[in-house]
PDB file of all heavy atoms in Angstrom:
ATOM      1  N   TYR A 374      -6.071  -8.232 -13.349  1.00 98.00           N
ATOM      2  CA  TYR A 374      -5.849  -7.242 -14.402  1.00 98.00           C
ATOM      3  C   TYR A 374      -5.614  -7.935 -15.746  1.00 98.00           C
ATOM      4  O   TYR A 374      -6.078  -7.461 -16.790  1.00 98.00           O
ATOM      5  CB  TYR A 374      -4.658  -6.362 -14.035  1.00 98.00           C
ATOM      6  CG  TYR A 374      -4.522  -5.121 -14.888  1.00 98.00           C
ATOM      7  CD1 TYR A 374      -5.332  -4.011 -14.670  1.00 98.00           C
ATOM      8  CD2 TYR A 374      -3.565  -5.049 -15.898  1.00 98.00           C
ATOM      9  CE1 TYR A 374      -5.200  -2.864 -15.439  1.00 98.00           C
ATOM     10  CE2 TYR A 374      -3.431  -3.904 -16.680  1.00 98.00           C
ATOM     11  CZ  TYR A 374      -4.251  -2.808 -16.439  1.00 98.00           C
ATOM     12  OH  TYR A 374      -4.124  -1.677 -17.220  1.00 98.00           O
ATOM     13  N   GLY A 375      -4.933  -9.071 -15.720  1.00 98.00           N
ATOM     14  CA  GLY A 375      -4.692  -9.824 -16.942  1.00 98.00           C
ATOM     15  C   GLY A 375      -5.975 -10.344 -17.564  1.00 98.00           C
ATOM     16  O   GLY A 375      -6.134 -10.342 -18.797  1.00 98.00           O
ATOM     17  N   VAL A 376      -6.912 -10.793 -16.731  1.00 98.00           N
ATOM     18  CA  VAL A 376      -8.209 -11.243 -17.242  1.00 98.00           C
ATOM     19  C   VAL A 376      -8.953 -10.064 -17.881  1.00 98.00           C
ATOM     20  O   VAL A 376      -9.615 -10.214 -18.911  1.00 98.00           O
ATOM     21  CB  VAL A 376      -9.044 -11.870 -16.105  1.00 98.00           C
ATOM     22  CG1 VAL A 376     -10.475 -12.138 -16.563  1.00 98.00           C
ATOM     23  CG2 VAL A 376      -8.396 -13.161 -15.623  1.00 98.00           C
ATOM     24  N   SER A 377      -8.819  -8.886 -17.275  1.00 97.00           N
ATOM     25  CA  SER A 377      -9.441  -7.694 -17.850  1.00 97.00           C
ATOM     26  C   SER A 377      -8.846  -7.387 -19.223  1.00 97.00           C
ATOM     27  O   SER A 377      -9.572  -7.062 -20.173  1.00 97.00           O
ATOM     28  CB  SER A 377      -9.242  -6.493 -16.914  1.00 97.00           C
ATOM     29  OG  SER A 377      -9.808  -5.317 -17.461  1.00 97.00           O
ATOM     30  N   VAL A 378      -7.526  -7.499 -19.330  1.00 98.00           N
ATOM     31  CA  VAL A 378      -6.868  -7.268 -20.616  1.00 98.00           C
ATOM     32  C   VAL A 378      -7.337  -8.290 -21.651  1.00 98.00           C
ATOM     33  O   VAL A 378      -7.738  -7.934 -22.771  1.00 98.00           O
ATOM     34  CB  VAL A 378      -5.334  -7.336 -20.458  1.00 98.00           C
ATOM     35  CG1 VAL A 378      -4.646  -7.319 -21.819  1.00 98.00           C
ATOM     36  CG2 VAL A 378      -4.841  -6.171 -19.606  1.00 98.00           C
ATOM     37  N   ALA A 379      -7.302  -9.562 -21.293  1.00 97.00           N
ATOM     38  CA  ALA A 379      -7.703 -10.622 -22.226  1.00 97.00           C
ATOM     39  C   ALA A 379      -9.166 -10.489 -22.624  1.00 97.00           C
ATOM     40  O   ALA A 379      -9.537 -10.762 -23.774  1.00 97.00           O
ATOM     41  CB  ALA A 379      -7.454 -11.991 -21.586  1.00 97.00           C
ATOM     42  N   GLY A 380      -9.992 -10.042 -21.678  1.00 95.00           N
ATOM     43  CA  GLY A 380     -11.418  -9.910 -21.958  1.00 95.00           C
ATOM     44  C   GLY A 380     -11.723  -8.929 -23.069  1.00 95.00           C
ATOM     45  O   GLY A 380     -12.743  -9.070 -23.776  1.00 95.00           O
ATOM     46  N   ASN A 381     -10.860  -7.936 -23.242  1.00 95.00           N
ATOM     47  CA  ASN A 381     -11.105  -6.956 -24.301  1.00 95.00           C
ATOM     48  C   ASN A 381     -11.096  -7.592 -25.691  1.00 95.00           C
ATOM     49  O   ASN A 381     -11.725  -7.078 -26.619  1.00 95.00           O
ATOM     50  CB  ASN A 381     -10.055  -5.840 -24.246  1.00 95.00           C
ATOM     51  CG  ASN A 381     -10.250  -4.918 -23.055  1.00 95.00           C
ATOM     52  OD1 ASN A 381     -11.206  -5.046 -22.303  1.00 95.00           O
ATOM     53  ND2 ASN A 381      -9.333  -4.000 -22.864  1.00 95.00           N
ATOM     54  N   PHE A 382     -10.404  -8.705 -25.829  1.00 96.00           N
ATOM     55  CA  PHE A 382     -10.306  -9.335 -27.148  1.00 96.00           C
ATOM     56  C   PHE A 382     -11.563 -10.120 -27.514  1.00 96.00           C
ATOM     57  O   PHE A 382     -11.748 -10.469 -28.687  1.00 96.00           O
ATOM     58  CB  PHE A 382      -9.069 -10.237 -27.202  1.00 96.00           C
ATOM     59  CG  PHE A 382      -7.788  -9.460 -27.108  1.00 96.00           C
ATOM     60  CD1 PHE A 382      -7.130  -9.333 -25.896  1.00 96.00           C
ATOM     61  CD2 PHE A 382      -7.262  -8.820 -28.218  1.00 96.00           C
ATOM     62  CE1 PHE A 382      -5.958  -8.595 -25.795  1.00 96.00           C
ATOM     63  CE2 PHE A 382      -6.095  -8.083 -28.133  1.00 96.00           C
ATOM     64  CZ  PHE A 382      -5.440  -7.962 -26.909  1.00 96.00           C
ATOM     65  N   PHE A 383     -12.429 -10.390 -26.541  1.00 93.00           N
ATOM     66  CA  PHE A 383     -13.704 -11.028 -26.860  1.00 93.00           C
ATOM     67  C   PHE A 383     -14.617 -10.086 -27.634  1.00 93.00           C
ATOM     68  O   PHE A 383     -15.588 -10.527 -28.248  1.00 93.00           O
ATOM     69  CB  PHE A 383     -14.394 -11.525 -25.591  1.00 93.00           C
ATOM     70  CG  PHE A 383     -13.825 -12.801 -25.059  1.00 93.00           C
ATOM     71  CD1 PHE A 383     -12.873 -12.791 -24.055  1.00 93.00           C
ATOM     72  CD2 PHE A 383     -14.214 -14.022 -25.580  1.00 93.00           C
ATOM     73  CE1 PHE A 383     -12.325 -13.965 -23.575  1.00 93.00           C
ATOM     74  CE2 PHE A 383     -13.683 -15.215 -25.116  1.00 93.00           C
ATOM     75  CZ  PHE A 383     -12.730 -15.182 -24.100  1.00 93.00           C
ATOM     76  N   ASN A 384     -14.300  -8.784 -27.600  1.00 90.00           N
ATOM     77  CA  ASN A 384     -15.079  -7.838 -28.403  1.00 90.00           C
ATOM     78  C   ASN A 384     -14.856  -8.036 -29.896  1.00 90.00           C
ATOM     79  O   ASN A 384     -15.609  -7.502 -30.717  1.00 90.00           O
ATOM     80  CB  ASN A 384     -14.705  -6.398 -28.025  1.00 90.00           C
ATOM     81  CG  ASN A 384     -15.121  -6.050 -26.616  1.00 90.00           C
ATOM     82  OD1 ASN A 384     -16.162  -6.474 -26.137  1.00 90.00           O
ATOM     83  ND2 ASN A 384     -14.290  -5.279 -25.929  1.00 90.00           N
ATOM     84  N   LEU A 385     -13.810  -8.808 -30.262  1.00 91.00           N
ATOM     85  CA  LEU A 385     -13.531  -9.065 -31.671  1.00 91.00           C
ATOM     86  C   LEU A 385     -14.511 -10.054 -32.284  1.00 91.00           C
ATOM     87  O   LEU A 385     -14.569 -10.192 -33.505  1.00 91.00           O
ATOM     88  CB  LEU A 385     -12.107  -9.598 -31.841  1.00 91.00           C
ATOM     89  CG  LEU A 385     -10.974  -8.603 -31.564  1.00 91.00           C
ATOM     90  CD1 LEU A 385      -9.637  -9.328 -31.506  1.00 91.00           C
ATOM     91  CD2 LEU A 385     -10.946  -7.506 -32.618  1.00 91.00           C
ATOM     92  N   ILE A 386     -15.263 -10.773 -31.442  1.00 86.00           N
ATOM     93  CA  ILE A 386     -16.250 -11.730 -31.951  1.00 86.00           C
ATOM     94  C   ILE A 386     -17.277 -10.976 -32.778  1.00 86.00           C
ATOM     95  O   ILE A 386     -17.833  -9.966 -32.332  1.00 86.00           O
ATOM     96  CB  ILE A 386     -16.927 -12.486 -30.794  1.00 86.00           C
ATOM     97  CG1 ILE A 386     -15.883 -13.323 -30.046  1.00 86.00           C
ATOM     98  CG2 ILE A 386     -18.051 -13.381 -31.309  1.00 86.00           C
ATOM     99  CD1 ILE A 386     -16.425 -13.987 -28.802  1.00 86.00           C
ATOM    100  N   PRO A 387     -17.555 -11.416 -34.013  1.00 76.00           N
ATOM    101  CA  PRO A 387     -18.471 -10.679 -34.900  1.00 76.00           C
ATOM    102  C   PRO A 387     -19.840 -10.462 -34.283  1.00 76.00           C
ATOM    103  O   PRO A 387     -20.381 -11.332 -33.592  1.00 76.00           O
ATOM    104  CB  PRO A 387     -18.564 -11.590 -36.132  1.00 76.00           C
ATOM    105  CG  PRO A 387     -17.320 -12.410 -36.091  1.00 76.00           C
ATOM    106  CD  PRO A 387     -17.020 -12.620 -34.638  1.00 76.00           C
ATOM    107  N   ARG A 388     -20.370  -9.256 -34.522  1.00 73.00           N
ATOM    108  CA  ARG A 388     -21.708  -8.918 -34.044  1.00 73.00           C
ATOM    109  C   ARG A 388     -22.483  -8.312 -35.202  1.00 73.00           C
ATOM    110  O   ARG A 388     -21.942  -8.001 -36.253  1.00 73.00           O
ATOM    111  CB  ARG A 388     -21.652  -7.906 -32.909  1.00 73.00           C
ATOM    112  CG  ARG A 388     -20.700  -8.261 -31.776  1.00 73.00           C
ATOM    113  CD  ARG A 388     -20.771  -7.216 -30.702  1.00 73.00           C
ATOM    114  NE  ARG A 388     -19.703  -7.371 -29.718  1.00 73.00           N
ATOM    115  CZ  ARG A 388     -19.712  -6.801 -28.517  1.00 73.00           C
ATOM    116  NH1 ARG A 388     -20.722  -6.035 -28.163  1.00 73.00           N
ATOM    117  NH2 ARG A 388     -18.717  -6.980 -27.674  1.00 73.00           N
ATOM    118  N   THR A 389     -23.769  -8.167 -34.993  1.00 69.00           N
ATOM    119  CA  THR A 389     -24.604  -7.454 -35.956  1.00 69.00           C
ATOM    120  C   THR A 389     -25.342  -6.352 -35.206  1.00 69.00           C
ATOM    121  O   THR A 389     -25.585  -6.471 -34.001  1.00 69.00           O
ATOM    122  CB  THR A 389     -25.637  -8.416 -36.596  1.00 69.00           C
ATOM    123  OG1 THR A 389     -26.379  -9.063 -35.564  1.00 69.00           O
ATOM    124  CG2 THR A 389     -24.932  -9.456 -37.443  1.00 69.00           C
ATOM    125  N   PRO A 390     -25.733  -5.242 -35.805  1.00 71.00           N
ATOM    126  CA  PRO A 390     -25.506  -4.946 -37.222  1.00 71.00           C
ATOM    127  C   PRO A 390     -24.125  -4.353 -37.473  1.00 71.00           C
ATOM    128  O   PRO A 390     -23.437  -3.991 -36.537  1.00 71.00           O
ATOM    129  CB  PRO A 390     -26.583  -3.912 -37.508  1.00 71.00           C
ATOM    130  CG  PRO A 390     -26.714  -3.178 -36.198  1.00 71.00           C
ATOM    131  CD  PRO A 390     -26.540  -4.216 -35.126  1.00 71.00           C
ATOM    132  N   ASP A 391     -23.764  -4.281 -38.733  1.00 81.00           N
ATOM    133  CA  ASP A 391     -22.504  -3.673 -39.158  1.00 81.00           C
ATOM    134  C   ASP A 391     -22.797  -2.937 -40.466  1.00 81.00           C
ATOM    135  O   ASP A 391     -23.286  -3.548 -41.415  1.00 81.00           O
ATOM    136  CB  ASP A 391     -21.460  -4.754 -39.378  1.00 81.00           C
ATOM    137  CG  ASP A 391     -20.055  -4.182 -39.596  1.00 81.00           C
ATOM    138  OD1 ASP A 391     -19.923  -2.951 -39.533  1.00 81.00           O
ATOM    139  OD2 ASP A 391     -19.135  -4.967 -39.841  1.00 81.00           O
ATOM    140  N   PRO A 392     -22.575  -1.647 -40.554  1.00 90.00           N
ATOM    141  CA  PRO A 392     -21.909  -0.780 -39.574  1.00 90.00           C
ATOM    142  C   PRO A 392     -22.850  -0.314 -38.472  1.00 90.00           C
ATOM    143  O   PRO A 392     -24.049  -0.599 -38.507  1.00 90.00           O
ATOM    144  CB  PRO A 392     -21.452   0.398 -40.435  1.00 90.00           C
ATOM    145  CG  PRO A 392     -22.529   0.514 -41.473  1.00 90.00           C
ATOM    146  CD  PRO A 392     -22.922  -0.913 -41.790  1.00 90.00           C
ATOM    147  N   VAL A 393     -22.264   0.431 -37.495  1.00 93.00           N
ATOM    148  CA  VAL A 393     -23.052   1.052 -36.436  1.00 93.00           C
ATOM    149  C   VAL A 393     -23.024   2.563 -36.653  1.00 93.00           C
ATOM    150  O   VAL A 393     -22.143   3.092 -37.331  1.00 93.00           O
ATOM    151  CB  VAL A 393     -22.499   0.710 -35.039  1.00 93.00           C
ATOM    152  CG1 VAL A 393     -22.691  -0.760 -34.731  1.00 93.00           C
ATOM    153  CG2 VAL A 393     -21.023   1.084 -34.927  1.00 93.00           C
TER     154      VAL A 393
END
Side-chain angles (χ1 to χ4, degrees):
Y374 193 78
V376 171
S377 179
V378 171
N381 288 356
F382 294 98
F383 282 96
N384 293 323
L385 291 169
I386 296 174
R388 310 182 191 197
T389 54
D391 190 2
V393 292

